[in-house]
Amino acid sequence: MEQNAQRELLAANPEWSVRELMARLAEALASQGPALSLGQSATRIVDGDISLVVATTGSSGVAKEVGLSAAALVSSAQGSNKFLAASPGDTWSLLLPATHIAGINVLIRCLELGTEPVDLRKQQGPYPKVDFTAIVPTHLFRALKGDSNLLKHLVDAKAVLVGGAALSDELRKEATAAGINIVTTYGMTETCGGCIYNGQALAGVEVKIVEGNRIAIKGSVLATSYIGAESLWKQEMHDGWFFTSDFGKLENGRLIVEGRVDDVLICGGVNISISAVERFLQNRFPALTLAAFGVKNSEWGDALHLAFAGDTPADQKLMTEFLVEEFGPEAKPRGFLTLAELPLIGIGKVDRKKLAELHQEGTH
């Protein structure tokens, strides 16, 4: 297919079986059928080198449609399988929604291995054994806190990819002690999902730290563009490097992700990282499901708030003392929100904008 040719864009039907979705995906990757979009898209025609369009919403709430080429998607799958030493015939289980790049990646890895994923998204009872799987930290938490079927499934796998959100040190230690071979992943839709495993770049991927400690990624897994917002994509690209919205550092050649560029609250003139607050609290209160978020405040500019989910009681007084001691008086939470569950964007990412809205609703 010519580089400047165009092709139809077809919305993936959520009613498709995994087998049919894989068949459609294989045709899209081989340019033998329409490109696929995950979710509804206003676009009907895309450039010929686009095989998949994935809608993504960052924590800032800005929606984008990411156009991915077959070359990038296959490179991501091959890099993942190579890192894990996966061989033809090895199996993956599907525990993630096929409406997100992380779920689609499982399917493409299976296409590369000549197998079909074991669909466990609605599994009840014992789980069959597979070689590999991919999950978010919430799965890990549930497995370690009572879901014995899922726990056995994860323990029996050769490796378990964990991504989508930050994994607390406590949860990782508990998983390792339980016998789960954890491989943490970092990436985003713009990099065909996870492209850094255990701090190391996959084959064909480079990572560096640029001004402001921002993480930049280069390589064969990068998206082609934002559909309908090509100028925005060009703003994020610098000499072949994609500047992410995360900041971090490199230590002994390994990437350590420290938080999002846009997750900093300015409380009383002091910068406070929401990610740093969450990591700090999660390591001290590992049994809690929590999230930090900001609310505009006439006195403080941004005021730190905390949200809790589930039945485990939160010691708000002790938390406040810890935060003030660690981050200073500006980090004193100005409000607490208790919910049945945290609102999410995508898989595993907390919707902080929604938390702020829920707080506002509760104060009126």
Side-chain angles (χ1 to χ4, degrees):
M1 180 173 286
E2 294 179 15
Q3 187 75 8
N4 59 355
Q6 292 188 312
R7 65 195 298 193
E8 177 191 356
L9 181 65
L10 175 68
N13 188 334
E15 300 301 318
W16 286 344
S17 65
V18 166
R19 180 168 294 178
E20 181 169 2
L21 178 56
M22 283 190 74
R24 299 268 192 169
L25 189 58
E27 291 175 352
L29 294 174
S31 297
Q32 295 173 351
L36 294 181
S37 70
L38 303 186
Q40 294 300 318
S41 173
T43 304
R44 293 290 176 266
I45 300 293
V46 293
D47 288 343
D49 59 343
I50 301 293
S51 290
L52 185 70
V53 174
V54 184
T56 179
T57 303
S59 60
S60 61
V62 179
K64 292 167 286 192
E65 292 186 359
V66 183
L68 302 168
S69 69
L73 291 162
V74 171
S75 178
S76 171
Q78 291 176 343
S80 177
N81 283 333
K82 180 179 179 180
F83 184 96
L84 298 170
S87 303
D90 281 351
T91 54
W92 283 78
S93 66
L94 180 63
L95 287 163
L96 300 171
T99 51
H100 297 277
I101 188 61
I104 289 294
N105 277 340
V106 171
L107 273 59
I108 301 177
R109 292 174 197 134
C110 287
L111 285 172
E112 288 295 305
L113 297 173
T115 57
E116 187 175 303
V118 181
D119 188 0
L120 300 179
R121 289 172 295 173
K122 297 180 181 179
Q123 180 73 7
Q124 300 292 327
Y127 289 64
K129 184 176 180 178
V130 297
D131 296 298
F132 305 101
T133 193
I135 61 173
V136 294
T138 303
H139 287 111
L140 198 56
F141 182 87
R142 291 171 180 166
L144 294 167
K145 304 302 178 184
D147 191 335
S148 57
N149 289 320
L150 179 55
L151 177 60
K152 186 176 189 310
H153 183 68
L154 301 181
V155 170
D156 286 346
K158 295 177 184 176
V160 176
L161 302 184
V162 183
L167 178 64
S168 70
D169 294 339
E170 189 68 29
L171 200 56
R172 179 168 184 163
K173 289 175 183 175
E174 194 174 342
T176 302
I180 302 172
N181 181 21
I182 293 291
V183 176
T184 58
T185 71
Y186 167 76
M188 60 276 320
T189 306
E190 290 89 339
T191 62
C192 289
C195 63
I196 310 288
Y197 283 18
N198 284 344
Q200 295 178 291
L202 295 182
V205 178
E206 297 177 62
V207 61
K208 70 177 180 179
I209 306 300
V210 295
E211 186 177 353
N213 295 331
R214 198 167 171 178
I215 299 168
I217 294 174
K218 182 180 184 179
S220 55
V221 299
L222 288 186
T224 301
S225 186
Y226 293 132
I227 305 301
E230 288 74 14
S231 60
L232 178 60
W233 176 256
K234 290 176 182 177
Q235 289 175 24
E236 303 296 346
M237 293 297 296
H238 305 267
D239 295 324
W241 290 88
F242 173 70
F243 282 23
T244 76
S245 296
D246 301 304
F247 60 90
K249 59 185 177 182
L250 289 169
E251 284 189 359
N252 301 319
R254 290 180 180 268
L255 176 68
I256 298 175
V257 182
E258 298 181 304
R260 288 185 61 87
V261 172
D262 58 5
D263 86 343
V264 174
L265 301 179
I266 305 177
C267 304
V270 175
N271 290 357
I272 297 175
S273 166
I274 290 176
S275 298
V277 167
E278 290 178 342
R279 282 197 303 271
F280 176 80
L281 289 176
Q282 203 70 74
N283 286 333
R284 283 156 183 76
F285 302 91
L288 284 176
T289 300
L290 61 86
F293 62 102
V295 174
K296 292 298 179 184
N297 182 281
S298 57
E299 179 182 359
W300 296 95
D302 293 318
L304 178 67
H305 288 63
L306 298 176
F308 309 100
D311 299 325
T312 305
D315 190 332
Q316 298 175 2
K317 183 174 183 294
L318 185 60
M319 282 187 173
T320 299
E321 291 175 357
F322 280 161
L323 287 172
V324 170
E325 181 180 346
E326 178 72 13
F327 298 100
E330 294 80 10
K332 177 182 178 180
R334 309 295 159 176
F336 298 90
L337 195 59
T338 302
L339 304 166
E341 55 186 30
L342 299 176
L344 300 179
I345 295 175
I347 50 172
K349 296 183 177 67
V350 174
D351 188 344
R352 293 184 180 129
K353 184 179 178 182
K354 182 64 176 178
L355 287 176
E357 290 174 0
L358 291 173
H359 167 78
Q360 297 290 10
E361 291 171 7
T363 58
H364 289 88

